[in-house]
Amino acid sequence: MVTSATAPAVFDLEARLDLYRVQLTLRKFEARAYDLFLENLVKGTSHLSLGQEAIAAGVAAAMRPDDWTFATYRGHAHTLARGVPMTPVMAELLGRTNGLMAGKGGSMHLTSVEHGVMGSYAIIGAHLPIACGAAWSAQYRGTDQVAVCFFGDGSVNIGAFHEALNFAAIWKLPVVFICENNLWMEYTRTSEVTAVANPAADRASAYGLESIIVDGNDAEAVYAVASAAIERARAGEGPSMIEATTYRHGGHSRADPGKYRPDSEVAEWLAKDPIPRYRAFLLEVGATEEQLVAIEEDVTAAVERAVDEAKAGDVPGEEYLMKDLWADGGSSWRN
Amino acid sequence: MAQLTYREAIARGIAQEMQRDQSVVMIGEDIGAAGGVFKGTVGLFDEFGPLRVRDTPISEQAILGAAMGAAMTGLRPIAEIMFADFFAVCWDIVANEIAKSRYMTNGQVSFPLVIRSGNGGGLRFGAQHSQSVENWAMMVPGLKVVVPSNAVDVIGLMAASVRDNDPVIFLEEKALYASKMDVPDGEIVDELGKASVLRQGADATMVALGNMVPRSMAAAEKLAEEGIDCTVVDLRSLVPLDVTTVLREVGSTGHLFTVEENPRLLGWGAELASIVAEEAFYDLDGPIVRITTPHIPLPAADALEDMAIPSVGRIVESVSKAMNA
């Protein structure tokens, strides 16, 4: 287990305050998105990263702007952490034309190619092979870009996971797989349906990879292991897999209150909430209360601004319906 | 001019594109030094090397996922799924990921990739290595579907598919691999979505695809002896679909026969029949007739397989019966 105690002290205070700001942004964005669901402004479903923010924030801090992320349907945090502005993400949730994809993708498919966010994928495990493809492209073209692929603990029992890991290993692809182990699939505890105790890490050796587990509620610890893995990939030394232990504060998705989890377990993990924990740590390492409050006020205002801007977006008209199936911009299948 | 088999035309078509564009790469099982299980890629490994012609494990999801990820980051991969039946183990990547992602992202990403696969029956391989799956691919929004029926078309349509910026399912007809024809020297580049009128007749129009094209041509010769003069249209691609040519040729004869190897239900001919019924109803002088494989898995025994897939005899009989009704 890698913890913050073993993480290298690579952060100066300014970088730490940035990392706090990113985590807080993810937290407040998700909380606000949840409000908007309750107001029925966000339709359909959504999967929040409340409680898991340290992973997206820590990994993003370790990435270069031209690296790629491949996220899951629980991908708001991973998208925002790469620097995608909040307004188009919120507008996408609201189904507006100023959304990242003008409302055509929705919460589960956030993509922003200009930020290296190469999609959020809602079929469990499917994006692991796709991330391998991006890594293959970097390897073939001789760039030193790295593909980072997030997935949940429930993904480790699907075939695509195993195909992708073997494939990445034999081709020594520059890809980093990051399992966000929040202990629960949807309603079922992952350990009840998984043959090994550590769903990703215990499978690593089957593909010749090191077994790495990190405290996923510690952004700096995540940053440390992610940096090492990314640099390894960049240097042509092949893939890595990181299992980051965490917990989702809410249910699996919008309609799930998460009542199947014991109260004591939820309480235990709420006490390990990455954000208050990092706040306390920042005060220990020299941040002032005033600095932190200023960030908090800033972030709150920025989220509110994003909500207002998103709400002000237009509802997409018919002109969006039939466009961009094909590369020519249209959707015609016949002459 | 050289005489080439359909299988040799595959390697020639791919080589033509790989020589032209460094971003064209190949990925698949046994495609490298082995030259492909159907010998469709012979010579490419030697010419372009292991970095451009890459063998993979038996991992169809990894093969197509890798093709997709590569296509969205600057390459133009040609992936092989050995037998088209195997699409069933990686259909998520095809139907949910590759086909939907351009639309879902409002056009942020494109997928200039080709997925080649050995399609159809005739080789006595039994039900899991023989199905014609063109209708699986045709019904997924976001896929182009190409099925060449001869060596020249293999080269030209391969070039068009590789150069296309959208995903193309390129179905190679296993029963035609050994068929030969004269192929001109030099670059051959065709166009997707253009049907070919291979034979012009006054009485009835047969529309066929892939392996059913030569059979329809042979049937047309026999039908001519009976005094039924047939037009034969080779569709060549299902998406884009050349409706204009079909409507024109049906309009000139008043009769449409589709000749399809896919199992009956929702075969491509059903869509074509629906279009003709809707848009050219008053041009028709008789019912539209679909000649298809029955709605069964293909049997292995040669006697049974021959009964299942539309044969020259069955095509002649079906057309003759309808025309003399």
Side-chain angles (χ1 to χ4, degrees):
Chain A
M1 175 83 79
V2 180
T3 67
S4 54
T6 60
V10 290
F11 281 97
D12 58 18
L13 185 59
E14 197 183 337
R16 286 180 156 145
L17 291 173
D18 279 347
L19 195 52
Y20 181 61
R21 179 186 294 272
V22 172
Q23 293 181 80
L24 199 66
T25 299
L26 308 185
R27 170 66 52 92
K28 288 184 179 285
F29 179 94
E30 293 286 60
R32 200 68 184 86
Y34 189 66
D35 295 342
L36 296 174
F37 291 136
L38 298 179
E39 292 172 36
N40 203 30
L41 279 171
V42 175
K43 312 291 199 313
T45 189
S46 185
H47 307 76
L48 305 177
S49 283
L50 291 168
Q52 306 186 183
E53 299 90 342
I55 301 171
V59 174
M63 294 177 72
R64 225 169 53 186
D66 63 341
D67 291 334
W68 298 300
T69 43
F70 291 81
T72 71
Y73 52 89
R74 195 183 305 285
H76 307 170
H78 311 82
T79 302
L80 293 167
R82 292 302 306 283
V84 180
M86 281 188 278
T87 297
V89 178
M90 193 60 91
E92 186 62 30
L93 270 54
L94 292 171
R96 305 299 169 95
T97 57
N98 54 339
L100 266 185
M101 297 102 89
K104 291 171 76 174
S107 163
M108 295 202 281
H109 299 294
L110 300 175
T111 304
S112 182
V113 170
E114 63 168 308
H115 297 92
V117 177
M118 303 306 283
S120 307
Y121 298 82
I123 307 292
I124 296 291
H127 60 310
L128 278 80
I130 301 166
C132 288
W136 170 36
S137 164
Q139 184 187 60
Y140 175 78
R141 292 183 294 117
T143 73
D144 60 355
Q145 290 161 286
V146 174
V148 174
C149 182
F150 297 94
F151 57 95
D153 42 275
S155 303
V156 305
N157 294 318
I158 202 163
F161 168 88
H162 298 275
E163 289 194 19
L165 279 165
N166 182 62
F167 192 79
I170 56 168
W171 285 16
K172 286 187 87 171
L173 294 176
V175 56
V176 177
F177 299 106
I178 298 178
C179 175
E180 299 185 329
N181 180 9
N182 65 21
L183 312 184
W184 291 82
M185 300 193 305
E186 190 160 354
Y187 300 106
T188 303
R189 197 184 281 283
T190 302
S191 61
E192 289 173 9
V193 293
T194 303
V196 291
N198 302 298
D202 289 352
R203 261 75 181 262
S205 66
Y207 303 103
L209 303 179
E210 192 187 344
S211 177
I212 302 170
I213 299 177
V214 66
D215 178 354
N217 282 13
D218 179 341
E220 290 195 17
V222 169
Y223 170 86
V225 291
S227 292
I230 288 168
E231 287 322 307
R232 211 178 105 77
R234 213 183 295 293
E237 292 166 28
S240 300
M241 184 160 63
I242 296 167
E243 181 174 323
T245 312
T246 186
Y247 202 74
R248 57 172 151 81
H249 286 176
H252 169 77
S253 61
R254 177 194 185 190
D256 169 22
K259 292 296 184 200
Y260 41 85
R261 305 182 302 184
D263 291 345
S264 58
E265 181 182 291
V266 176
E268 177 198 330
W269 279 94
L270 284 174
K272 294 192 255 185
D273 185 332
I275 292 172
R277 183 173 152 192
Y278 198 58
R279 193 183 198 280
F281 171 73
L282 286 176
L283 289 171
E284 277 173 36
V285 295
T288 65
E289 181 66 24
E290 292 68 37
Q291 282 174 310
L292 299 182
V293 168
I295 289 172
E296 288 151 9
E297 286 173 357
D298 247 22
V299 169
T300 303
V303 171
E304 286 317 306
R305 221 166 28 242
V307 171
D308 290 344
E309 287 170 3
K311 283 181 176 172
D314 292 330
V315 170
E318 206 177 343
E319 69 273 20
Y320 285 90
L321 184 67
M322 299 305 288
K323 81 181 192 76
D324 276 322
L325 179 65
W326 305 126
D328 69 5
S331 60
S332 176
W333 51 269
R334 58 169 285 184
N335 58 9
Chain B
M1 185 80 77
Q3 201 171 62
L4 286 190
T5 60
Y6 187 98
R7 82 171 84 242
E8 288 164 342
I10 291 160
R12 166 142 163 214
I14 293 171
Q16 174 187 299
E17 296 309 297
M18 291 184 76
Q19 285 157 1
R20 183 184 59 80
D21 183 350
Q22 284 288 323
S23 70
V24 180
V25 291
M26 292 181 70
I27 178 173
E29 297 160 15
D30 295 325
I31 61 166
V37 293
F38 297 113
K39 302 296 168 203
T41 57
V42 168
L44 297 174
F45 182 81
D46 290 337
E47 182 173 356
F48 300 103
L51 288 181
R52 294 187 71 189
V53 183
R54 289 197 82 162
D55 281 323
T56 68
I58 301 173
S59 299
E60 279 80 7
Q61 294 184 78
I63 292 167
L64 295 191
M68 175 178 173
M72 66 203 283
T73 53
L75 300 187
R76 302 183 86 88
I78 302 172
E80 177 178 313
I81 296 300
M82 196 182 282
F83 286 79
D85 312 69
F86 305 170
F87 272 121
V89 300
C90 52
W91 201 239
D92 171 55
I93 303 283
V94 179
N96 279 321
E97 314 300 341
I98 291 171
K100 292 177 181 170
S101 290
R102 183 177 165 81
Y103 184 85
M104 287 198 301
T105 62
N106 199 31
Q108 286 187 52
V109 283
S110 292
F111 300 95
L113 61 86
V114 177
I115 305 173
R116 304 169 42 235
S117 194
N119 188 54
L123 302 188
R124 321 330 189 174
F125 285 164
Q128 295 182 344
H129 289 70
S130 300
Q131 189 167 340
S132 278
V133 305
E134 56 270 19
N135 56 338
W136 292 5
M138 186 188 192
M139 63 177 70
V140 178
L143 300 178
K144 294 181 176 175
V145 186
V146 173
V147 190
S149 71
N150 62 69
V152 172
D153 282 2
V154 163
I155 299 170
L157 292 173
M158 178 66 77
S161 300
V162 169
R163 296 178 193 199
D164 200 274
N165 288 321
D166 293 310
V168 177
I169 306 294
F170 191 95
L171 297 173
E172 299 167 7
E173 300 284 82
K174 295 200 295 288
L176 297 178
Y177 275 128
S179 64
K180 284 185 184 172
M181 76 185 294
D182 287 332
V183 176
D185 297 331
E187 187 178 80
I188 302 175
V189 184
D190 210 321
E191 194 181 344
L192 303 186
K194 287 271 181 276
S196 297
V197 181
L198 299 180
R199 189 182 196 285
Q200 201 87 50
D203 301 326
T205 300
M206 289 193 265
V207 179
L209 184 77
N211 184 28
M212 294 299 100
V213 172
R215 293 188 186 195
S216 298
M217 288 294 283
E221 294 304 316
K222 290 198 189 304
L223 286 160
E225 292 164 17
E226 292 181 21
I228 301 171
D229 189 14
C230 290
T231 293
V232 177
V233 177
D234 179 355
L235 269 185
R236 307 200 311 151
S237 76
L238 296 178
V239 181
L241 186 63
D242 186 358
V243 172
T244 305
T245 297
V246 172
L247 292 178
R248 187 185 68 224
E249 297 306 323
V250 171
S252 75
T253 65
H255 290 275
L256 170 62
F257 295 85
T258 65
V259 190
E260 311 165 48
E261 187 173 331
N262 48 213
R264 177 81 190 185
L265 298 188
L266 294 179
W268 55 263
E271 182 59 46
L272 215 58
S274 152
I275 292 168
V276 169
E278 213 171 308
E279 300 178 28
F281 184 75
Y282 297 105
D283 290 341
L284 290 172
D285 296 325
I288 296 167
V289 176
R290 291 181 60 211
I291 303 163
T292 75
T293 296
H295 208 61
I296 52 171
L298 274 187
D302 47 4
L304 292 172
E305 191 185 40
D306 287 344
M307 283 177 228
I309 299 173
S311 61
V312 174
R314 179 140 70 92
I315 298 167
V316 168
E317 195 183 320
S318 303
V319 173
S320 176
K321 186 176 157 200
M323 295 301 289
N324 291 311

